[in-house]
Coordinates of all heavy atoms in Angstrom, one line a residue:
E29 N 47.0 -29.5 -108.5 CA 46.3 -28.9 -107.4 C 45.2 -27.9 -107.9 O 45.4 -27.3 -109.0 CB 47.3 -28.2 -106.5 CG 48.3 -29.1 -105.8 CD 47.8 -30.0 -104.8 OE1 46.7 -29.7 -104.2 OE2 48.3 -31.1 -104.6
R30 N 44.2 -27.8 -107.1 CA 43.2 -26.8 -107.4 C 43.8 -25.4 -107.3 O 44.6 -25.1 -106.4 CB 42.0 -26.9 -106.4 CG 40.9 -26.0 -106.6 CD 39.9 -26.2 -105.5 NE 40.4 -25.9 -104.2 CZ 39.8 -26.2 -103.0 NH1 38.6 -26.8 -103.0 NH2 40.4 -25.9 -101.9
E31 N 43.4 -24.5 -108.2 CA 43.9 -23.1 -108.2 C 42.8 -22.1 -108.4 O 41.8 -22.4 -109.1 CB 45.0 -23.0 -109.2 CG 44.5 -23.1 -110.7 CD 45.5 -22.8 -111.7 OE1 46.6 -22.2 -111.4 OE2 45.3 -23.1 -112.9
L32 N 43.0 -21.0 -107.8 CA 42.0 -19.9 -108.0 C 42.2 -19.3 -109.4 O 43.3 -19.0 -109.8 CB 42.3 -18.8 -106.9 CG 41.4 -17.5 -107.1 CD1 39.9 -17.9 -106.8 CD2 41.9 -16.5 -106.1
V33 N 41.1 -19.1 -110.1 CA 41.1 -18.5 -111.4 C 40.7 -17.1 -111.4 O 41.4 -16.2 -111.9 CB 40.2 -19.3 -112.4 CG1 40.2 -18.6 -113.8 CG2 40.6 -20.7 -112.5
A34 N 39.6 -16.8 -110.7 CA 39.1 -15.4 -110.6 C 38.1 -15.3 -109.5 O 37.5 -16.3 -109.1 CB 38.4 -15.0 -111.9
S35 N 38.0 -14.1 -108.9 CA 37.0 -13.9 -107.8 C 36.4 -12.5 -108.0 O 37.0 -11.6 -108.6 CB 37.7 -14.0 -106.5 OG 38.7 -13.0 -106.3
V36 N 35.2 -12.3 -107.4 CA 34.6 -11.0 -107.4 C 33.9 -10.9 -106.0 O 33.2 -11.8 -105.6 CB 33.6 -10.9 -108.6 CG1 32.5 -12.0 -108.6 CG2 33.0 -9.5 -108.6
S37 N 34.1 -9.7 -105.4 CA 33.5 -9.4 -104.1 C 32.2 -8.7 -104.3 O 31.7 -8.4 -105.4 CB 34.5 -8.5 -103.3 OG 34.5 -7.2 -103.9
S38 N 31.5 -8.5 -103.1 CA 30.2 -7.9 -103.1 C 30.2 -6.5 -103.7 O 29.2 -6.0 -104.2 CB 29.6 -7.9 -101.8 OG 30.4 -7.2 -100.8
D39 N 31.4 -5.8 -103.5 CA 31.5 -4.4 -104.1 C 32.2 -4.4 -105.5 O 32.7 -3.4 -105.9 CB 32.3 -3.5 -103.1 CG 33.6 -4.1 -102.7 OD1 33.9 -5.2 -103.1 OD2 34.3 -3.4 -102.0
E40 N 32.2 -5.6 -106.1 CA 32.6 -5.7 -107.5 C 34.1 -5.6 -107.8 O 34.5 -5.4 -108.9 CB 31.9 -4.7 -108.4 CG 30.3 -4.7 -108.3 CD 29.7 -6.1 -108.7 OE1 30.3 -6.8 -109.6 OE2 28.7 -6.4 -108.2
I41 N 34.9 -5.8 -106.7 CA 36.3 -5.9 -106.9 C 36.7 -7.3 -107.4 O 36.2 -8.3 -106.9 CB 37.0 -5.6 -105.6 CG1 36.7 -4.2 -105.1 CG2 38.5 -5.8 -105.7 CD1 37.3 -3.9 -103.7
T42 N 37.5 -7.3 -108.5 CA 37.8 -8.6 -109.1 C 39.3 -8.9 -109.0 O 40.2 -8.0 -108.8 CB 37.5 -8.6 -110.6 OG1 38.2 -7.5 -111.2 CG2 36.0 -8.4 -110.8
N43 N 39.6 -10.2 -109.0 CA 41.0 -10.6 -108.9 C 41.1 -11.8 -109.9 O 40.2 -12.6 -110.1 CB 41.4 -11.1 -107.5 CG 41.6 -9.9 -106.6 OD1 42.6 -9.2 -106.6 ND2 40.6 -9.8 -105.7
Y44 N 42.3 -11.9 -110.6 CA 42.5 -12.9 -111.6 C 43.9 -13.6 -111.4 O 44.9 -12.9 -111.0 CB 42.5 -12.3 -113.0 CG 41.2 -11.8 -113.4 CD1 40.9 -10.4 -113.2 CD2 40.2 -12.6 -114.0 CE1 39.7 -9.9 -113.6 CE2 39.0 -12.1 -114.4 CZ 38.7 -10.7 -114.2 OH 37.5 -10.2 -114.5
A45 N 44.0 -14.8 -111.7 CA 45.2 -15.5 -111.8 C 46.0 -14.9 -112.9 O 45.5 -14.5 -114.0 CB 45.1 -17.0 -112.0
E46 N 47.3 -14.8 -112.8 CA 48.2 -14.2 -113.8 C 48.0 -14.9 -115.1 O 48.1 -14.2 -116.2 CB 49.7 -14.2 -113.3 CG 50.6 -13.5 -114.3 CD 50.3 -12.0 -114.3 OE1 49.8 -11.4 -113.3 OE2 50.6 -11.3 -115.3
S47 N 47.8 -16.2 -115.1 CA 47.7 -17.0 -116.3 C 46.5 -16.7 -117.2 O 46.5 -17.0 -118.4 CB 47.8 -18.5 -116.0 OG 46.7 -18.8 -115.2
V48 N 45.5 -16.0 -116.6 CA 44.3 -15.8 -117.3 C 44.0 -14.3 -117.5 O 43.0 -13.9 -118.2 CB 43.0 -16.4 -116.7 CG1 43.3 -17.9 -116.4 CG2 42.7 -15.7 -115.4
K49 N 44.8 -13.4 -117.0 CA 44.6 -12.0 -117.1 C 44.6 -11.6 -118.6 O 45.4 -12.0 -119.4 CB 45.7 -11.2 -116.4 CG 45.5 -11.1 -114.9 CD 46.6 -10.3 -114.2 CE 46.4 -10.2 -112.8 NZ 47.4 -9.4 -112.1
G50 N 43.6 -10.8 -118.9 CA 43.4 -10.3 -120.3 C 42.7 -11.3 -121.2 O 42.3 -10.9 -122.3
R51 N 42.4 -12.5 -120.7 CA 41.7 -13.5 -121.5 C 40.3 -13.8 -120.9 O 39.3 -14.0 -121.6 CB 42.5 -14.7 -121.7 CG 43.8 -14.6 -122.4 CD 44.4 -15.9 -122.7 NE 44.8 -16.7 -121.5 CZ 44.3 -17.9 -121.2 NH1 43.5 -18.5 -122.1 NH2 44.7 -18.5 -120.1
F52 N 40.3 -13.8 -119.5 CA 39.1 -14.2 -118.8 C 38.5 -13.0 -118.1 O 39.2 -12.1 -117.7 CB 39.3 -15.3 -117.7 CG 39.7 -16.6 -118.3 CD1 40.0 -16.9 -119.6 CD2 39.8 -17.7 -117.4 CE1 40.3 -18.1 -120.0 CE2 40.1 -19.0 -117.8 CZ 40.4 -19.2 -119.1
T53 N 37.1 -13.0 -118.0 CA 36.4 -11.9 -117.3 C 35.4 -12.5 -116.4 O 34.5 -13.3 -116.8 CB 35.8 -10.9 -118.3 OG1 36.7 -10.4 -119.1 CG2 35.1 -9.8 -117.5
I54 N 35.4 -12.2 -115.1 CA 34.4 -12.6 -114.2 C 33.4 -11.5 -113.9 O 33.8 -10.3 -113.9 CB 35.1 -13.1 -112.8 CG1 34.0 -13.8 -111.9 CG2 35.7 -11.9 -112.1 CD1 34.6 -14.5 -110.7
S55 N 32.1 -11.9 -113.8 CA 31.1 -10.9 -113.6 C 30.1 -11.5 -112.7 O 30.0 -12.7 -112.6 CB 30.5 -10.4 -114.9 OG 29.9 -11.4 -115.6
R56 N 29.2 -10.6 -112.1 CA 28.3 -11.1 -111.1 C 26.9 -10.4 -111.3 O 26.9 -9.2 -111.5 CB 28.9 -10.8 -109.7 CG 28.0 -11.1 -108.6 CD 28.8 -10.8 -107.3 NE 28.0 -11.0 -106.1 CZ 28.4 -11.0 -104.8 NH1 29.8 -10.8 -104.6 NH2 27.6 -11.1 -103.8
D57 N 25.9 -11.1 -111.2 CA 24.5 -10.6 -111.3 C 23.9 -10.8 -110.0 O 23.5 -11.9 -109.7 CB 23.7 -11.3 -112.4 CG 22.4 -10.6 -112.6 OD1 21.8 -10.0 -111.7 OD2 21.8 -10.7 -113.7
N58 N 23.9 -9.8 -109.1 CA 23.4 -10.0 -107.7 C 21.9 -10.3 -107.7 O 21.5 -11.1 -106.8 CB 23.7 -8.7 -107.0 CG 25.1 -8.5 -106.7 OD1 25.9 -9.4 -106.6 ND2 25.5 -7.2 -106.6
A59 N 21.1 -9.8 -108.6 CA 19.7 -10.1 -108.6 C 19.4 -11.5 -108.9 O 18.4 -12.1 -108.4 CB 19.0 -9.2 -109.6
K60 N 20.3 -12.2 -109.6 CA 20.1 -13.6 -109.9 C 21.0 -14.5 -109.1 O 20.9 -15.8 -109.3 CB 20.4 -13.8 -111.4 CG 19.4 -13.1 -112.4 CD 19.8 -13.4 -113.8 CE 18.8 -12.7 -114.8 NZ 19.2 -13.0 -116.2
N61 N 21.8 -14.0 -108.2 CA 22.7 -14.8 -107.4 C 23.6 -15.7 -108.3 O 23.8 -16.9 -108.1 CB 22.0 -15.7 -106.4 CG 21.4 -14.9 -105.3 OD1 21.9 -13.8 -104.9 ND2 20.3 -15.4 -104.7
T62 N 24.1 -15.1 -109.4 CA 24.8 -15.8 -110.4 C 26.1 -15.1 -110.7 O 26.2 -13.9 -110.8 CB 24.0 -15.9 -111.7 OG1 22.7 -16.6 -111.4 CG2 24.7 -16.6 -112.8
V63 N 27.1 -16.0 -110.9 CA 28.5 -15.5 -111.4 C 28.8 -16.1 -112.7 O 28.4 -17.3 -112.9 CB 29.5 -15.8 -110.3 CG1 29.7 -17.3 -110.1 CG2 30.9 -15.1 -110.6
Y64 N 29.5 -15.4 -113.5 CA 29.8 -15.8 -114.9 C 31.4 -15.8 -115.1 O 32.0 -15.0 -114.4 CB 29.2 -15.0 -116.0 CG 27.7 -14.8 -115.9 CD1 27.1 -13.8 -115.2 CD2 26.8 -15.8 -116.4 CE1 25.8 -13.7 -115.0 CE2 25.5 -15.7 -116.3 CZ 24.9 -14.6 -115.7 OH 23.6 -14.5 -115.6
L65 N 31.9 -16.6 -115.9 CA 33.2 -16.5 -116.3 C 33.3 -16.6 -117.9 O 33.0 -17.7 -118.4 CB 34.1 -17.6 -115.7 CG 35.6 -17.6 -116.0 CD1 36.2 -16.3 -115.2 CD2 36.3 -18.8 -115.5
Q66 N 33.6 -15.5 -118.5 CA 33.8 -15.4 -119.9 C 35.2 -15.8 -120.2 O 36.1 -15.1 -119.8 CB 33.4 -14.0 -120.5 CG 33.7 -13.9 -121.9 CD 32.7 -14.7 -122.8 OE1 31.5 -14.7 -122.5 NE2 33.3 -15.4 -123.8
M67 N 35.5 -16.8 -121.0 CA 36.8 -17.3 -121.3 C 37.1 -17.1 -122.8 O 36.4 -17.8 -123.6 CB 37.0 -18.8 -120.9 CG 36.7 -19.0 -119.4 SD 36.9 -20.7 -118.9 CE 35.4 -21.4 -119.6
N68 N 38.0 -16.3 -123.1 CA 38.4 -16.1 -124.5 C 39.9 -16.5 -124.7 O 40.6 -16.7 -123.8 CB 38.3 -14.6 -124.8 CG 36.9 -14.0 -124.7 OD1 35.9 -14.7 -125.0 ND2 36.8 -12.8 -124.3
S69 N 40.2 -16.7 -126.0 CA 41.5 -17.1 -126.4 C 42.0 -18.3 -125.6 O 43.1 -18.4 -125.1 CB 42.5 -15.9 -126.2 OG 42.1 -14.8 -127.0
L70 N 41.2 -19.3 -125.6 CA 41.4 -20.5 -124.7 C 42.6 -21.3 -125.2 O 42.9 -21.4 -126.4 CB 40.2 -21.4 -124.7 CG 39.1 -20.9 -123.7 CD1 37.8 -21.5 -124.0 CD2 39.5 -21.2 -122.3
K71 N 43.4 -21.8 -124.3 CA 44.6 -22.6 -124.6 C 44.4 -24.0 -124.0 O 43.6 -24.2 -123.1 CB 45.8 -22.0 -123.9 CG 46.0 -20.5 -124.2 CD 47.1 -20.0 -123.4 CE 47.4 -18.5 -123.7 NZ 48.5 -17.9 -122.9
P72 N 45.1 -25.0 -124.6 CA 45.0 -26.4 -124.0 C 45.3 -26.4 -122.5 O 44.6 -27.3 -121.8 CB 46.1 -27.1 -124.8 CG 46.1 -26.4 -126.1 CD 45.9 -25.0 -125.8
E73 N 46.1 -25.6 -122.0 CA 46.5 -25.6 -120.6 C 45.3 -25.1 -119.7 O 45.4 -25.2 -118.5 CB 47.7 -24.8 -120.3 CG 47.8 -23.5 -120.9 CD 48.6 -23.5 -122.2 OE1 48.3 -24.4 -123.1 OE2 49.4 -22.6 -122.4
D74 N 44.3 -24.5 -120.3 CA 43.1 -24.2 -119.6 C 42.1 -25.4 -119.3 O 41.2 -25.2 -118.6 CB 42.3 -23.1 -120.3 CG 43.0 -21.8 -120.5 OD1 43.6 -21.3 -119.5 OD2 43.0 -21.2 -121.6
T75 N 42.4 -26.5 -119.9 CA 41.6 -27.7 -119.7 C 41.6 -28.1 -118.2 O 42.7 -28.3 -117.6 CB 42.1 -28.8 -120.5 OG1 42.0 -28.5 -121.9 CG2 41.4 -30.1 -120.3
A76 N 40.4 -28.2 -117.6 CA 40.3 -28.5 -116.2 C 38.8 -28.6 -115.9 O 38.0 -28.3 -116.7 CB 40.9 -27.4 -115.4

């Protein structure tokens, strides 16, 4: 099933799935209407 990995609100509040905490970072550039996901220490189970 599809699962939530990370989210960021307009006031920069972030949430992460427990499985990616400490490894992934979500960030947002409001001027560019762009969101990023930095993924570190990747595991085979991150394949998706």
Side-chain angles (χ1 to χ4, degrees):
E29 299 290 330
R30 181 183 62 191
E31 64 174 345
L32 176 67
V33 178
S35 65
V36 58
S37 68
S38 59
D39 55 354
E40 306 299 330
I41 297 174
T42 59
N43 290 283
Y44 296 92
E46 186 66 29
S47 60
V48 307
K49 283 183 178 178
R51 299 189 297 122
F52 291 10
T53 302
I54 189 170
S55 60
R56 176 175 174 173
D57 186 335
N58 292 328
K60 296 181 179 179
N61 289 332
T62 299
V63 65
Y64 306 92
L65 187 67
Q66 177 67 47
M67 301 180 287
N68 299 326
S69 302
L70 282 161
K71 305 174 181 179
E73 50 263 45
D74 295 317
T75 296

